[in-house]
Amino acid sequence: MLEDGFHDVPAGKLAMIVTYLEMTSKTDTRDVPLPAGLTFRRVAADITWYRDIFTRVGGLDWLWYGRLVLKDDALDAILSDPQVEIYTLSRDGQDLALMELDFRKEGACELAYFGLTSDLIGTGSGRWLMNKAVELAWAKPIERFHLRTCTIDSPQALDFYKRSGFTPVKRSVEIADDPRVLGVLPDSAGPMVPLLRP
């Protein structure tokens, strides 16, 4: 059991509070239009495309690292699994969003990754894309739609998920290697989290 109080986090590590959220029946969504100039599509993602969009959506601003530390074969196994669906929003030929639905556990869908590049923040694209996520997830025979977010992600993320119909159900503390120390992300990534090298 974790004792109350402060706990040192070693240099070279990140510490974050992870909140687990779920939706156990399809929520009503507020209809919003897809902003002009954007198109929505499912992607048959390869490793190069995926790492690029993953880094642009979450790595540089929010220190997303989970998929960046995977070996090529491990990442390819996820991307090529027919139970994993990857979508994006594009404008003028450039992909600007990542939505990943993972149906690999029977009866459930995990919103594994969801985010927009800074170009789309504040345009209504996030609400439109979340509505699409809810629609696609519940089009399958699931009983639970779930996700995780953490305290180093966008400060708006948790409230956005709650407004989208997800309910917080659990919290945990995660400690992991800082991806900047690992060389997976540049030192300038995640400016809101101080970089402490060992």
mmCIF file with all atom_site columns, all heavy atoms in Angstrom, residues 41 65 83 148 169 175 180 187:
data_model
loop_
_atom_site.group_PDB
_atom_site.id
_atom_site.type_symbol
_atom_site.label_atom_id
_atom_site.label_alt_id
_atom_site.label_comp_id
_atom_site.label_asym_id
_atom_site.label_entity_id
_atom_site.label_seq_id
_atom_site.pdbx_PDB_ins_code
_atom_site.Cartn_x
_atom_site.Cartn_y
_atom_site.Cartn_z
_atom_site.occupancy
_atom_site.B_iso_or_equiv
_atom_site.pdbx_formal_charge
_atom_site.auth_seq_id
_atom_site.auth_comp_id
_atom_site.auth_asym_id
_atom_site.auth_atom_id
_atom_site.pdbx_PDB_model_num
ATOM 1  N N   . ARG A 1 41  ? -11.009 9.637  -42.588 1.00 0.00 ? 41  ARG A N   1
ATOM 2  C CA  . ARG A 1 41  ? -10.762 8.367  -43.263 1.00 0.00 ? 41  ARG A CA  1
ATOM 3  C C   . ARG A 1 41  ? -10.113 7.365  -42.319 1.00 0.00 ? 41  ARG A C   1
ATOM 4  O O   . ARG A 1 41  ? -9.432  7.740  -41.360 1.00 0.00 ? 41  ARG A O   1
ATOM 5  C CB  . ARG A 1 41  ? -9.888  8.550  -44.499 1.00 0.00 ? 41  ARG A CB  1
ATOM 6  C CG  . ARG A 1 41  ? -8.456  8.951  -44.211 1.00 0.00 ? 41  ARG A CG  1
ATOM 7  C CD  . ARG A 1 41  ? -7.669  9.200  -45.486 1.00 0.00 ? 41  ARG A CD  1
ATOM 8  N NE  . ARG A 1 41  ? -6.354  9.734  -45.180 1.00 0.00 ? 41  ARG A NE  1
ATOM 9  C CZ  . ARG A 1 41  ? -5.255  9.006  -45.029 1.00 0.00 ? 41  ARG A CZ  1
ATOM 10 N NH1 . ARG A 1 41  ? -5.312  7.693  -45.168 1.00 0.00 ? 41  ARG A NH1 1
ATOM 11 N NH2 . ARG A 1 41  ? -4.102  9.575  -44.738 1.00 0.00 ? 41  ARG A NH2 1
ATOM 12 N N   . TYR A 1 65  ? 4.550   8.515  -25.360 1.00 0.00 ? 65  TYR A N   1
ATOM 13 C CA  . TYR A 1 65  ? 5.742   7.734  -25.664 1.00 0.00 ? 65  TYR A CA  1
ATOM 14 C C   . TYR A 1 65  ? 5.476   6.252  -25.860 1.00 0.00 ? 65  TYR A C   1
ATOM 15 O O   . TYR A 1 65  ? 6.301   5.528  -26.412 1.00 0.00 ? 65  TYR A O   1
ATOM 16 C CB  . TYR A 1 65  ? 6.780   7.901  -24.540 1.00 0.00 ? 65  TYR A CB  1
ATOM 17 C CG  . TYR A 1 65  ? 6.289   7.347  -23.219 1.00 0.00 ? 65  TYR A CG  1
ATOM 18 C CD1 . TYR A 1 65  ? 6.498   6.018  -22.861 1.00 0.00 ? 65  TYR A CD1 1
ATOM 19 C CD2 . TYR A 1 65  ? 5.584   8.159  -22.330 1.00 0.00 ? 65  TYR A CD2 1
ATOM 20 C CE1 . TYR A 1 65  ? 6.016   5.514  -21.659 1.00 0.00 ? 65  TYR A CE1 1
ATOM 21 C CE2 . TYR A 1 65  ? 5.108   7.667  -21.141 1.00 0.00 ? 65  TYR A CE2 1
ATOM 22 C CZ  . TYR A 1 65  ? 5.330   6.348  -20.810 1.00 0.00 ? 65  TYR A CZ  1
ATOM 23 O OH  . TYR A 1 65  ? 4.846   5.850  -19.625 1.00 0.00 ? 65  TYR A OH  1
ATOM 24 N N   . GLN A 1 83  ? -8.454  -6.182 -35.602 1.00 0.00 ? 83  GLN A N   1
ATOM 25 C CA  . GLN A 1 83  ? -9.291  -5.705 -34.502 1.00 0.00 ? 83  GLN A CA  1
ATOM 26 C C   . GLN A 1 83  ? -8.888  -4.307 -34.024 1.00 0.00 ? 83  GLN A C   1
ATOM 27 O O   . GLN A 1 83  ? -9.458  -3.787 -33.077 1.00 0.00 ? 83  GLN A O   1
ATOM 28 C CB  . GLN A 1 83  ? -9.214  -6.685 -33.324 1.00 0.00 ? 83  GLN A CB  1
ATOM 29 C CG  . GLN A 1 83  ? -9.757  -8.070 -33.643 1.00 0.00 ? 83  GLN A CG  1
ATOM 30 C CD  . GLN A 1 83  ? -11.267 -8.055 -33.817 1.00 0.00 ? 83  GLN A CD  1
ATOM 31 O OE1 . GLN A 1 83  ? -11.792 -7.689 -34.863 1.00 0.00 ? 83  GLN A OE1 1
ATOM 32 N NE2 . GLN A 1 83  ? -11.969 -8.427 -32.776 1.00 0.00 ? 83  GLN A NE2 1
ATOM 33 N N   . ARG A 1 148 ? -7.825  5.668  -21.075 1.00 0.00 ? 148 ARG A N   1
ATOM 34 C CA  . ARG A 1 148 ? -7.022  6.198  -19.969 1.00 0.00 ? 148 ARG A CA  1
ATOM 35 C C   . ARG A 1 148 ? -6.493  7.561  -20.367 1.00 0.00 ? 148 ARG A C   1
ATOM 36 O O   . ARG A 1 148 ? -6.199  7.809  -21.535 1.00 0.00 ? 148 ARG A O   1
ATOM 37 C CB  . ARG A 1 148 ? -5.800  5.300  -19.692 1.00 0.00 ? 148 ARG A CB  1
ATOM 38 C CG  . ARG A 1 148 ? -6.128  3.965  -19.092 1.00 0.00 ? 148 ARG A CG  1
ATOM 39 C CD  . ARG A 1 148 ? -4.883  3.116  -19.008 1.00 0.00 ? 148 ARG A CD  1
ATOM 40 N NE  . ARG A 1 148 ? -4.430  2.791  -20.362 1.00 0.00 ? 148 ARG A NE  1
ATOM 41 C CZ  . ARG A 1 148 ? -3.286  2.183  -20.640 1.00 0.00 ? 148 ARG A CZ  1
ATOM 42 N NH1 . ARG A 1 148 ? -2.435  1.876  -19.691 1.00 0.00 ? 148 ARG A NH1 1
ATOM 43 N NH2 . ARG A 1 148 ? -2.958  1.914  -21.893 1.00 0.00 ? 148 ARG A NH2 1
ATOM 44 N N   . VAL A 1 169 ? -13.402 5.762  -13.299 1.00 0.00 ? 169 VAL A N   1
ATOM 45 C CA  . VAL A 1 169 ? -13.664 4.576  -12.477 1.00 0.00 ? 169 VAL A CA  1
ATOM 46 C C   . VAL A 1 169 ? -12.469 4.141  -11.637 1.00 0.00 ? 169 VAL A C   1
ATOM 47 O O   . VAL A 1 169 ? -12.623 3.354  -10.698 1.00 0.00 ? 169 VAL A O   1
ATOM 48 C CB  . VAL A 1 169 ? -14.140 3.382  -13.335 1.00 0.00 ? 169 VAL A CB  1
ATOM 49 C CG1 . VAL A 1 169 ? -15.515 3.662  -13.935 1.00 0.00 ? 169 VAL A CG1 1
ATOM 50 C CG2 . VAL A 1 169 ? -13.137 3.031  -14.431 1.00 0.00 ? 169 VAL A CG2 1
ATOM 51 N N   . ILE A 1 175 ? 4.980   5.323  -13.095 1.00 0.00 ? 175 ILE A N   1
ATOM 52 C CA  . ILE A 1 175 ? 6.338   5.846  -13.164 1.00 0.00 ? 175 ILE A CA  1
ATOM 53 C C   . ILE A 1 175 ? 7.012   5.150  -14.335 1.00 0.00 ? 175 ILE A C   1
ATOM 54 O O   . ILE A 1 175 ? 6.939   3.924  -14.479 1.00 0.00 ? 175 ILE A O   1
ATOM 55 C CB  . ILE A 1 175 ? 7.107   5.606  -11.850 1.00 0.00 ? 175 ILE A CB  1
ATOM 56 C CG1 . ILE A 1 175 ? 6.437   6.386  -10.711 1.00 0.00 ? 175 ILE A CG1 1
ATOM 57 C CG2 . ILE A 1 175 ? 8.576   6.014  -11.998 1.00 0.00 ? 175 ILE A CG2 1
ATOM 58 C CD1 . ILE A 1 175 ? 7.068   6.195  -9.359  1.00 0.00 ? 175 ILE A CD1 1
ATOM 59 N N   . ARG A 1 180 ? 12.455  11.591 -23.253 1.00 0.00 ? 180 ARG A N   1
ATOM 60 C CA  . ARG A 1 180 ? 13.501  12.522 -23.679 1.00 0.00 ? 180 ARG A CA  1
ATOM 61 C C   . ARG A 1 180 ? 14.874  12.010 -23.261 1.00 0.00 ? 180 ARG A C   1
ATOM 62 O O   . ARG A 1 180 ? 15.845  12.148 -23.991 1.00 0.00 ? 180 ARG A O   1
ATOM 63 C CB  . ARG A 1 180 ? 13.224  13.917 -23.105 1.00 0.00 ? 180 ARG A CB  1
ATOM 64 C CG  . ARG A 1 180 ? 11.895  14.504 -23.588 1.00 0.00 ? 180 ARG A CG  1
ATOM 65 C CD  . ARG A 1 180 ? 11.463  15.696 -22.779 1.00 0.00 ? 180 ARG A CD  1
ATOM 66 N NE  . ARG A 1 180 ? 11.178  15.332 -21.400 1.00 0.00 ? 180 ARG A NE  1
ATOM 67 C CZ  . ARG A 1 180 ? 10.664  16.167 -20.490 1.00 0.00 ? 180 ARG A CZ  1
ATOM 68 N NH1 . ARG A 1 180 ? 10.370  17.421 -20.836 1.00 0.00 ? 180 ARG A NH1 1
ATOM 69 N NH2 . ARG A 1 180 ? 10.434  15.759 -19.259 1.00 0.00 ? 180 ARG A NH2 1
ATOM 70 N N   . ASP A 1 187 ? 14.608  16.925 -26.390 1.00 0.00 ? 187 ASP A N   1
ATOM 71 C CA  . ASP A 1 187 ? 14.579  17.584 -25.082 1.00 0.00 ? 187 ASP A CA  1
ATOM 72 C C   . ASP A 1 187 ? 13.502  18.660 -25.005 1.00 0.00 ? 187 ASP A C   1
ATOM 73 O O   . ASP A 1 187 ? 12.992  18.967 -23.934 1.00 0.00 ? 187 ASP A O   1
ATOM 74 C CB  . ASP A 1 187 ? 15.935  18.218 -24.769 1.00 0.00 ? 187 ASP A CB  1
ATOM 75 C CG  . ASP A 1 187 ? 17.004  17.194 -24.416 1.00 0.00 ? 187 ASP A CG  1
ATOM 76 O OD1 . ASP A 1 187 ? 16.698  15.973 -24.419 1.00 0.00 ? 187 ASP A OD1 1
ATOM 77 O OD2 . ASP A 1 187 ? 18.147  17.604 -24.158 1.00 0.00 ? 187 ASP A OD2 1
#
